[in-house]
């Protein structure tokens, strides 16, 4: 779903992937990013870039609550990798072209679905809520791949933030711009709406005033503390390759 709106003085396009019981691809009926969803996201974003080519660049807000990409024979056969890549490329293109892209995580942000819808944002905002989960794959998938019980994965998550699913652990990695506390996600009050709109405006303004790349995720205080070794490796590789 997508809609054009206005928050304060900012024109915005809002995009969300939602459950669709009538989806022609049954693997994408519970909010997953499937074949149609990837192409439609790309179309929504590309249209903004085209329409704003000769005027002020409106912001794009990705509402994120996606349990993962759609897994299925049809999806693999018809190229879900291309569909999701089109969405990624559209968001990245919009960001580089000067459109502030803000992701608002209100639920799950799992696997390829989050890669396609949200992770290319200039700024990421998340609700501080137990139902908000961020990871590269579902717990069930991770358990199968690592041949561990889910209980064992939970124990590992307590020691290694990158393997955890809760939003607080994700925040320690440095990618979050802001985490909103005390929001009633399922039944938001008028105050909750004001808090969210204020946070979105602040993120949009901040994105307009800074570089369009994603370097801020490695420069944040949290990243410098939790990812110092990987940042050092990146620096060494860059120096050697150049």
């Amino acid at each position: 779903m997508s809609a054009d709106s206005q928050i304060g003085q900012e024109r915005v396009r809002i995009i969300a992937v939602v459950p669709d019981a009538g989806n022609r691809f049954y693997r994408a009926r519970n909010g997953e990013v499937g074949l149609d969803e990837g192409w439609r996201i790309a179309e929504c974003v590309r249209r903004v870039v085209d329409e704003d080519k000769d005027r002020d660049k409106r912001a794009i807000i990705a509402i994120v609550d996606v349990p993962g990409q759609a897994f299925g024979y049809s999806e693999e056969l018809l190229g879900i990798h291309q569909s999701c890549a089109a969405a990624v490329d559209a968001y990245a293109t919009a960001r580089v072209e000067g459109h502030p892209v803000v992701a608002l995580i209100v639920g799950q942000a799992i696997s390829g679905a989050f890669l396609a819808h949200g992770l290319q944002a200039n700024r990421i905002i998340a609700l501080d809520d137990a139902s908000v989960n961020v990871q590269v794959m579902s717990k069930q998938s991770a358990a199968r791949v690592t041949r561990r019980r889910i209980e064992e994965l939970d124990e590992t998550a307590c020691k290694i933030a990158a393997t955890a699913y809760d939003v607080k652990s994700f925040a320690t990695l440095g990618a979050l711009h802001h985490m909103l506390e005390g929001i009633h996600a399922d039944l938001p009050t008028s105050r909750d709406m004001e808090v969210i709109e204020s946070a979105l405006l602040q993120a949009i303004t901040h994105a307009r005033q800074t570089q369009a790349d994603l370097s801020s995720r490695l420069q944040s205080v949290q990243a410098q503390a939790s990812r110092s070794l990987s940042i050092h490796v990146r620096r060494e590789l860059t120096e050697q390759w150049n």
Side-chain angles (χ1 to χ4, degrees), residues 48 73 84 86 90 104 111 113-114 123 136 151-152 158 177 179 187 194 196 203 205-206 210 215-216 221:
V48 172
Y73 177 81
C84 289
L104 176 62
S111 194
F114 186 35
R123 300 292 180 268
V136 296
E151 292 76 15
E152 291 180 281
C158 294
H177 176 66
M179 190 156 59
L187 293 171
E194 290 174 1
I196 290 174
T205 301
H206 196 269
T210 53
S215 59
S216 62
V221 174

Side-chain angles (χ1 to χ4, degrees), residues 85-242:
V88 172
D89 185 63
Y91 275 125
T93 298
R95 172 167 50 76
V96 172
E97 290 290 327
H99 293 269
V101 181
V102 179
L104 176 62
I105 305 176
V106 299
Q108 299 187 78
I110 305 296
S111 194
F114 186 35
L115 295 178
H117 180 59
L119 199 57
Q120 280 295 326
N122 299 74
R123 300 292 180 268
I124 300 175
I125 301 171
L127 302 187
D128 182 4
D129 189 278
S131 64
V132 174
N133 294 307
V134 185
Q135 244 301 338
V136 296
M137 64 175 67
S138 68
K139 283 188 180 182
Q140 292 76 12
S141 299
R144 286 196 296 269
V145 169
T146 62
R147 297 183 179 181
R148 295 182 179 182
R149 293 179 291 109
I150 289 179
E151 292 76 15
E152 291 180 281
L153 296 179
D154 290 337
E155 292 175 8
T156 303
C158 294
K159 304 173 185 176
I160 305 173
T163 66
Y165 285 76
D166 65 289
V167 69
K168 282 187 170 64
S169 296
F170 179 66
T172 65
L173 300 178
L176 276 189
H177 176 66
H178 194 41
M179 190 156 59
L180 302 178
E181 300 178 352
I183 302 296
H184 303 84
D186 293 325
L187 293 171
T189 64
S190 56
R191 176 194 169 278
D192 292 337
M193 297 297 292
E194 290 174 1
V195 170
I196 290 174
E197 288 186 2
S198 176
L200 289 172
L201 280 174
Q202 191 267 348
I204 291 170
T205 301
H206 196 269
R208 289 194 188 280
Q209 296 173 346
T210 53
Q211 290 179 300
D213 61 21
L214 303 179
S215 59
S216 62
R217 297 182 188 177
L218 295 177
Q219 296 168 354
S220 65
V221 174
Q222 294 88 345
Q224 293 292 325
S226 67
R227 303 173 66 183
S228 58
L229 290 178
S230 64
I231 291 172
H232 175 69
V233 169
R234 283 170 179 265
R235 188 181 302 117
E236 290 291 320
L237 287 173
T238 300
E239 290 178 359
Q240 291 183 30
W241 286 345
N242 290 339

Side-chain angles (χ1 to χ4, degrees), residues 24-89:
R24 60 178 177 154
F25 295 104
Y26 74 94
R27 292 288 191 177
R29 291 178 177 174
N30 297 303
E32 297 89 350
V33 174
L35 288 160
D36 285 340
E37 289 72 23
W39 293 120
R40 287 174 182 171
I41 289 170
E43 180 187 11
C44 287
V45 176
R46 289 282 183 183
R47 204 181 315 130
V48 172
V49 175
D50 291 340
E51 292 172 354
D52 292 357
K53 196 161 286 185
D54 299 317
R55 60 177 180 175
D56 292 339
K57 313 294 186 183
R58 84 188 90 164
I60 300 171
I61 299 174
I63 307 297
V64 181
D65 184 7
V66 284
Q69 71 269 35
F71 290 103
Y73 177 81
S74 297
E75 282 74 18
E76 295 299 329
L77 181 66
L78 299 176
I80 191 174
H81 62 289
Q82 291 182 321
S83 170
C84 289
V88 172
D89 185 63

Side-chain angles (χ1 to χ4, degrees), residues 8-36:
Q9 300 301 313
E10 289 283 354
R11 295 184 305 120
V12 299
R13 170 157 293 180
I14 303 171
I15 303 172
V17 178
V18 300
D20 176 14
N23 196 308
R24 60 178 177 154
F25 295 104
Y26 74 94
R27 292 288 191 177
R29 291 178 177 174
N30 297 303
E32 297 89 350
V33 174
L35 288 160
D36 285 340

